[in-house]
Amino acid sequence: MGAGKKAKNVGKNVKGKSKEVTGRAVGNESLEAKGRAEQMAGDAKQTVQKAKDTLKH
């Protein structure tokens, strides 16, 4: 996987986790849900990249 894409996906996961934790801490369910969704999107993109890399080799 390209280092740039991997870093972007990991960054998306970290950003999502921070939104989720912040939302939980302040009682904002919408922010918490957005954080979980962002984490899932980052995980999905990372999975797709790994599958692409597997097929290349």
Side-chain angles (χ1 to χ4, degrees):
M1 177 182 326
K5 289 183 181 182
K6 183 176 183 180
K8 187 175 179 179
N9 294 335
V10 170
K12 194 170 205 110
N13 284 345
V14 170
K15 185 177 172 186
K17 186 64 176 177
S18 68
K19 281 184 182 180
E20 180 184 4
V21 170
T22 302
R24 189 176 303 136
V26 297
N28 186 334
E29 292 178 10
S30 176
L31 184 61
E32 189 176 345
K34 285 179 185 176
R36 280 194 304 267
E38 200 164 324
Q39 287 179 70
M40 287 189 288
D43 288 340
K45 286 184 178 186
Q46 197 166 10
T47 300
V48 168
Q49 279 304 126
K50 285 181 181 179
K52 283 182 182 179
D53 287 347
T54 300
L55 293 174
K56 284 183 182 178
H57 300 291

